[in-house]
Amino acid sequence: MSTVNETNRLASAGVTLLPMANKSPKAQPDHTRRSERSRRAILDAALELTGESGYQRLTIEAIAARAGVGKQTIYRWWPSKAAVLLDAFIALGEEAAEGEAGLPDTGDLAADLKTVVRATVDELNSPRYDAPSRALAAESVVNPELCAQFTERVLEPQLQLYVRRIRAAQEAGQADPDADPRIALELIVGPLAHRWMLRTLPLTHDYADAVVDLVLRGITPR
Amino acid sequence: MSTVNETNRLASAGVTLLPMANKSPKAQPDHTRRSERSRRAILDAALELTGESGYQRLTIEAIAARAGVGKQTIYRWWPSKAAVLLDAFIALGEEAAEGEAGLPDTGDLAADLKTVVRATVDELNSPRYDAPSRALAAESVVNPELCAQFTERVLEPQLQLYVRRIRAAQEAGQADPDADPRIALELIVGPLAHRWMLRTLPLTHDYADAVVDLVLRGITPR
Amino acid sequence: MSTVNETNRLASAGVTLLPMANKSPKAQPDHTRRSERSRRAILDAALELTGESGYQRLTIEAIAARAGVGKQTIYRWWPSKAAVLLDAFIALGEEAAEGEAGLPDTGDLAADLKTVVRATVDELNSPRYDAPSRALAAESVVNPELCAQFTERVLEPQLQLYVRRIRAAQEAGQADPDADPRIALELIVGPLAHRWMLRTLPLTHDYADAVVDLVLRGITPR
Amino acid sequence: MSTVNETNRLASAGVTLLPMANKSPKAQPDHTRRSERSRRAILDAALELTGESGYQRLTIEAIAARAGVGKQTIYRWWPSKAAVLLDAFIALGEEAAEGEAGLPDTGDLAADLKTVVRATVDELNSPRYDAPSRALAAESVVNPELCAQFTERVLEPQLQLYVRRIRAAQEAGQADPDADPRIALELIVGPLAHRWMLRTLPLTHDYADAVVDLVLRGITPR
DNA sequence: AGCTAATCGAGACGGTACGTCACGTCTTTAG
DNA sequence: CTAAAGACGTGACGTACCGTCTCGATTAGCT
């Protein structure tokens, strides 16, 4: 994952140590010839297997077998099972998200946040998303490279939606203009993530509402 | 880990399926004969190795080798490397904590919380604690049994200290008596955990202070 | 076994490295205090287990468990599982043999040999003796110390009975006085053992008779 | 080993329990891709190690290490260390035997048999052959599957040479046509094997000669 | 009859090897 | 050239036994 991207970054920046030998250690495979069929099969298999028996028991060999694919085809395009799962998870998100514009803006910040936050709670509690997202979260805690990819491609785009919605509220005079939207957002997302990850207490709509209420009380203009 | 406790719980509750055969599958080893020397060596080795090369590369075999111990001695007393590390981490905490009474109570809730929260930030940023606590957190995300142990033995005791301090503030009239201390606490701890786990942004004293301020604004009596 | 005997041999030969310390490495246990009950239980368990699952799967731990005995009680008195089995096998033979005088002597050498040889065939084919005697034979092929014990205590006493009977026949003029009884005996016993050990062809009474006939034709006076 | 052959035998005989599922438990590895280099290294290592420290102390791990090979490469092609050693022993024999036609036939049966039998004695006494052949013999005594392979691939081909030579002698009128060559042969080979295996007395040329003489006296035409 | 020393059942311990699984690399054959 | 297939060297897994050791609790044999 990092390997692929770093190499790409370097290559596209024209950074090569040897005149015509940017293939020296390991040439990048030719993306134009890549089999889309295999790619989909691999991502699907990774999601299925993670759901069936968990990330710990997920193996590259099992993915290859389930996808009807040679192991090398996985190693050629991904650096680790975590990277496969990340791509699979993103693909999963894209299916669902189709044309999602951003957070709703009805003019009522509290209502809009609760709408979104309840949806997030439902997603985290749904079996379809639970296993892969837990896997990616856990791996991210312990694997900085994967974490960077995960936050960059999945998490931050989501968080920026909150930032935008809160800024809009500030401009509309519904929130204290001195409050830092980033911190406000983390006060909403952090507690939900905490309950979900460490299972301290059940993650419910009521809890989500309470969190939003408390935070909004903190950033309401006085 | 959970196995041990559940078995004990069931046994002490008189719940046995076969009249006198609660020893059938695998008798518990005899704790009175346990070698304290080996136990310490194992916990120390687990911490050292986690610090040196990370949890992923941590191996039961390496722990055994470093500790000068047979593998079976580890498997006899712990069900997984995660369980070993949890015990090691708790032992590590006990050394440091010696006679720690609870959160300070100077009468100024904001100041007291900031004191504690800054200390937590320092601890999370210290190399000594970083590797093992990340490992346990990551494992907990994905392993409910370990998670239960982790929250029960490490996390919740800490969180209860916050609950007590906030209650004291409520009784002293410094905090809204209708606010739920549990939720307030999670609004403080959750965001810190989120930044630490997913490395979205640096985890600093300033951030901690800002979180505390925002939350306190939410529960200050009006 | 070898350990025990070598120690004894050295000790009785007055070979000691330290003046009064022939107990230095490992004192012999006190035979007068030995528990007969445990000894029997161990020998019985060894035979049973060998019969049930074969010598290869026989373990000291299983013997101890079956016999209701500590492992140390076995290690105290025997140097190896082969030695245990040898003692067990000898005890088994003694039960059967009670007061057996030697080979029959009806005056007809051929008939007498066939009687004995058929009985041997039956014994080798009986499940009771098969497993332990195969185990001891196999071990003897590969373990000279055990082999020495096995031949000295089991095999040779049997073979000497043949020698005596053949000598008697020579004195009675029924066999060539120049023939070597030892070689004659081995020509009878060797082929039976060969068939039994390597299972080349079935070991039957007819085969035994044919062997005896052929050998006797070789040593009949001309 | 036996598994492979039996499966093949059954399959080629059309004996299958399930219609098209003779691949269910574990597909045979692909013999065309087998590494000859590894095969040789494994067989050599097995012989060396058996010679150095005996069959009992021979381990699959040691073979793999010495051969510079993964354990799995051994387990993929052989079911046990005994099977490895059998193949190694056969390879050893093939080197020596190159173009060996059979027993010599000078017209003098006694002389020819003594020539062969003395050579066998020398071989059994040579350190090069001693350890592996003892190991295989011992294992065969106790392991019927290996025994079947051993007799089929090593022992019987040798024995058949005797049968042919004795038949030739019968046809030439030098031996009793009524004598059973198989039994005669076993009377020669059995005693030698017996002395060698159980070390009752030294295995010498003189003994071999005496055995041949005695047997021939039994089958000489009267 | 009481003392004392060895044996006993039990089983934890440091080890070695087992046979299996999965890794990531490499090679072969087919398209 | 990619892809499926899968053999290979490597290394960790969790288990089974090894032979040694340390624990009370018998249990003799000798005062």
Side-chain angles (χ1 to χ4, degrees):
Chain A
M1 171 191 31
S2 71
T3 311
V4 170
N5 287 321
E6 283 173 24
T7 306
N8 283 349
R9 233 177 282 137
L10 292 174
S12 60
V15 177
T16 48
L17 298 175
L18 298 173
M20 286 302 301
N22 50 349
K23 43 151 70 168
S24 28
K26 202 64 194 181
Q28 284 305 311
D30 180 346
H31 285 249
T32 66
R33 298 193 142 210
R34 182 165 185 184
S35 159
E36 177 60 16
R37 213 182 133 284
S38 296
R39 199 188 71 91
R40 284 282 355 151
I42 289 164
L43 298 184
D44 291 350
L47 282 179
E48 283 174 36
L49 290 167
T50 303
E52 286 169 20
S53 28
Y55 178 68
Q56 322 249 47
R57 280 198 272 273
L58 179 67
T59 65
I60 299 267
E61 298 210 326
I63 297 173
R66 173 75 63 101
V69 137
K71 283 197 288 178
Q72 201 56 42
T73 303
I74 300 181
Y75 285 111
R76 197 168 4 247
W77 303 108
W78 291 274
S80 68
K81 67 173 184 174
V84 176
L85 196 58
L86 177 59
D87 277 4
F89 185 70
I90 290 170
L92 182 65
E94 279 165 3
E95 283 170 25
E98 268 317 291
E100 208 171 275
L103 258 52
D105 189 347
T106 64
D108 180 347
L109 180 60
D112 291 348
L113 287 177
K114 285 180 184 171
T115 303
V116 173
V117 136
R118 286 170 173 223
T120 301
V121 166
D122 290 340
E123 203 169 280
L124 292 176
N125 284 330
S126 85
R128 184 176 170 71
Y129 286 85
D130 186 71
S133 42
R134 293 200 106 88
L136 290 169
E139 188 71 21
S140 292
V141 170
V142 121
N143 176 341
E145 285 80 30
L146 194 267
C147 185
Q149 290 277 325
F150 179 63
T151 52
E152 178 188 333
R153 299 170 61 190
V154 177
L155 193 55
E156 280 299 337
Q158 296 286 330
L159 300 187
Q160 289 309 318
L161 303 181
Y162 283 85
V163 170
R164 280 200 279 280
R165 182 65 189 82
I166 294 172
R167 284 234 175 86
Q170 287 174 319
E171 281 154 20
Q174 293 165 359
D176 179 354
D178 293 336
D180 182 340
R182 176 80 201 189
I183 291 183
L185 151 211
E186 293 188 30
L187 258 88
I188 296 173
V189 167
L192 299 181
H194 194 249
R195 277 212 177 175
W196 174 65
M197 285 183 161
L198 297 180
R199 298 167 161 102
T200 43
L201 289 173
L203 184 60
T204 62
H205 284 190
D206 283 353
Y207 177 66
D209 288 354
V211 168
V212 169
D213 284 337
L214 213 165
V215 172
L216 286 190
R217 225 196 293 171
I219 64 170
T220 299
R222 270 152 295 194
Chain B
M1 174 187 34
S2 71
T3 314
V4 171
N5 288 321
E6 284 174 24
T7 307
N8 285 348
R9 230 178 284 136
L10 292 172
S12 60
V15 176
T16 48
L17 299 174
L18 299 173
M20 285 300 302
N22 49 350
K23 43 151 68 169
S24 20
K26 202 63 193 178
Q28 293 301 318
D30 181 344
H31 285 249
T32 67
R33 298 210 174 201
R34 183 165 186 183
S35 160
E36 177 60 17
R37 213 181 136 286
S38 298
R39 201 188 68 92
R40 284 280 358 151
I42 289 165
L43 299 184
D44 291 349
L47 282 178
E48 284 173 35
L49 290 167
T50 303
E52 287 169 21
S53 28
Y55 179 67
Q56 319 250 49
R57 279 198 271 275
L58 180 67
T59 300
I60 298 266
E61 294 209 329
I63 297 173
R66 173 74 64 99
V69 138
K71 281 201 284 180
Q72 203 58 48
T73 301
I74 300 181
Y75 285 111
R76 185 154 30 230
W77 303 109
W78 290 277
S80 67
K81 67 174 183 172
V84 175
L85 197 58
L86 176 58
D87 276 3
F89 186 70
I90 290 170
L92 183 65
E94 278 166 4
E95 283 170 24
E98 270 315 294
E100 211 172 273
L103 259 51
D105 189 346
T106 64
D108 180 345
L109 179 60
D112 291 348
L113 286 177
K114 285 179 185 173
T115 303
V116 172
V117 136
R118 286 170 174 222
T120 301
V121 165
D122 291 340
E123 203 168 279
L124 290 176
N125 284 329
S126 86
R128 184 175 171 75
Y129 285 85
D130 185 72
S133 43
R134 292 201 107 87
L136 290 169
E139 189 70 21
S140 292
V141 169
V142 122
N143 175 341
E145 285 80 31
L146 193 268
C147 186
Q149 290 278 325
F150 179 64
T151 51
E152 178 187 333
R153 297 170 62 192
V154 177
L155 194 55
E156 281 298 338
Q158 296 285 330
L159 300 186
Q160 290 309 319
L161 303 181
Y162 284 84
V163 169
R164 279 201 278 280
R165 181 64 189 80
I166 294 171
R167 285 233 175 86
Q170 288 175 319
E171 280 155 21
Q174 293 164 0
D176 179 352
D178 292 337
D180 182 338
R182 176 81 201 189
I183 291 183
L185 150 211
E186 293 189 29
L187 257 88
I188 296 171
V189 166
L192 299 181
H194 195 249
R195 276 212 177 173
W196 175 66
M197 283 182 162
L198 298 180
R199 298 170 162 101
T200 44
L201 289 172
L203 185 59
T204 61
H205 285 191
D206 284 352
Y207 176 65
D209 289 354
V211 168
V212 170
D213 284 337
L214 214 165
V215 172
L216 288 190
R217 225 194 294 171
I219 63 169
T220 299
R222 270 149 298 193
Chain C
M1 179 188 31
S2 72
T3 311
V4 171
N5 287 321
E6 282 173 24
T7 307
N8 284 349
R9 229 179 286 136
L10 291 174
S12 61
V15 176
T16 48
L17 299 175
L18 297 173
M20 284 304 300
N22 50 350
K23 43 150 68 168
S24 30
K26 202 67 194 176
Q28 288 302 314
D30 180 346
H31 284 249
T32 64
R33 300 182 85 117
R34 183 167 185 182
S35 157
E36 178 60 16
R37 212 181 135 286
S38 297
R39 202 188 69 92
R40 285 284 352 153
I42 289 165
L43 299 183
D44 291 350
L47 282 178
E48 284 174 35
L49 290 167
T50 303
E52 286 167 22
S53 29
Y55 177 68
Q56 322 250 49
R57 280 198 270 275
L58 180 67
T59 64
I60 299 267
E61 297 211 326
I63 298 173
R66 174 74 64 100
V69 137
K71 283 198 288 178
Q72 201 57 37
T73 303
I74 300 182
Y75 285 111
R76 188 157 25 234
W77 303 109
W78 291 276
S80 68
K81 68 173 183 173
V84 176
L85 195 58
L86 178 58
D87 277 4
F89 185 70
I90 290 171
L92 183 65
E94 278 165 4
E95 284 170 23
E98 269 315 292
E100 209 172 273
L103 260 52
D105 189 346
T106 64
D108 180 345
L109 180 59
D112 292 347
L113 286 176
K114 285 178 185 171
T115 304
V116 172
V117 136
R118 286 169 172 222
T120 301
V121 165
D122 290 340
E123 203 169 279
L124 291 176
N125 285 330
S126 85
R128 183 177 172 72
Y129 285 85
D130 186 73
S133 43
R134 292 199 107 88
L136 290 169
E139 188 71 20
S140 293
V141 170
V142 121
N143 175 341
E145 285 80 31
L146 193 267
C147 185
Q149 291 276 325
F150 179 63
T151 51
E152 178 187 331
R153 297 170 61 191
V154 177
L155 194 55
E156 282 299 336
Q158 296 286 330
L159 299 186
Q160 289 308 319
L161 302 181
Y162 283 85
V163 170
R164 280 202 279 278
R165 182 64 190 82
I166 294 172
R167 285 235 174 84
Q170 287 174 320
E171 279 156 22
Q174 292 164 2
D176 179 352
D178 293 338
D180 182 340
R182 176 80 201 189
I183 291 182
L185 152 210
E186 293 189 28
L187 258 89
I188 296 172
V189 167
L192 300 181
H194 194 249
R195 277 211 176 175
W196 174 67
M197 285 182 160
L198 297 181
R199 298 168 162 103
T200 43
L201 289 173
L203 184 60
T204 61
H205 284 190
D206 285 353
Y207 177 65
D209 289 352
V211 168
V212 169
D213 285 337
L214 213 166
V215 172
L216 286 191
R217 225 196 292 171
I219 63 168
T220 301
R222 269 151 300 197
Chain D
M1 168 191 37
S2 71
T3 312
V4 170
N5 288 321
E6 282 172 25
T7 307
N8 286 347
R9 230 178 284 136
L10 292 173
S12 62
V15 177
T16 48
L17 298 176
L18 298 172
M20 285 302 302
N22 48 350
K23 44 155 66 170
S24 19
K26 202 65 195 177
Q28 293 300 318
D30 180 345
H31 285 249
T32 68
R33 299 220 161 167
R34 181 165 188 183
S35 160
E36 176 61 16
R37 213 181 134 287
S38 297
R39 202 189 68 92
R40 283 283 355 151
I42 289 165
L43 298 184
D44 291 349
L47 282 178
E48 284 173 35
L49 289 167
T50 304
E52 286 168 21
S53 29
Y55 178 69
Q56 320 251 50
R57 278 197 271 276
L58 180 67
T59 61
I60 300 266
E61 295 209 326
I63 298 174
R66 173 74 63 102
V69 136
K71 281 198 287 180
Q72 202 58 46
T73 302
I74 300 181
Y75 285 111
R76 186 155 29 232
W77 302 109
W78 290 277
S80 66
K81 68 173 183 174
V84 176
L85 197 57
L86 177 58
D87 277 4
F89 186 71
I90 290 170
L92 183 65
E94 278 165 3
E95 282 170 24
E98 271 314 294
E100 209 172 273
L103 260 50
D105 189 347
T106 64
D108 180 347
L109 180 60
D112 291 348
L113 286 177
K114 285 179 184 172
T115 302
V116 172
V117 136
R118 285 168 174 226
T120 301
V121 165
D122 290 341
E123 204 169 279
L124 291 176
N125 285 329
S126 86
R128 184 175 170 74
Y129 285 85
D130 186 73
S133 42
R134 293 200 105 89
L136 290 169
E139 189 71 21
S140 292
V141 170
V142 121
N143 175 341
E145 285 81 31
L146 193 269
C147 185
Q149 290 277 323
F150 179 64
T151 52
E152 178 186 332
R153 299 169 61 192
V154 177
L155 193 55
E156 281 299 335
Q158 296 286 328
L159 300 186
Q160 289 308 318
L161 302 180
Y162 283 85
V163 170
R164 280 202 278 279
R165 182 63 189 83
I166 294 171
R167 285 235 175 84
Q170 287 175 319
E171 279 153 23
Q174 292 163 2
D176 180 352
D178 292 337
D180 182 339
R182 176 80 202 189
I183 291 182
L185 151 211
E186 293 189 28
L187 259 88
I188 295 172
V189 166
L192 298 181
H194 194 249
R195 277 211 176 175
W196 175 67
M197 284 182 162
L198 298 181
R199 299 169 161 100
T200 43
L201 289 173
L203 184 59
T204 63
H205 286 191
D206 283 352
Y207 176 66
D209 288 353
V211 168
V212 170
D213 284 337
L214 212 167
V215 172
L216 286 191
R217 220 184 311 160
I219 64 169
T220 300
R222 269 149 300 194

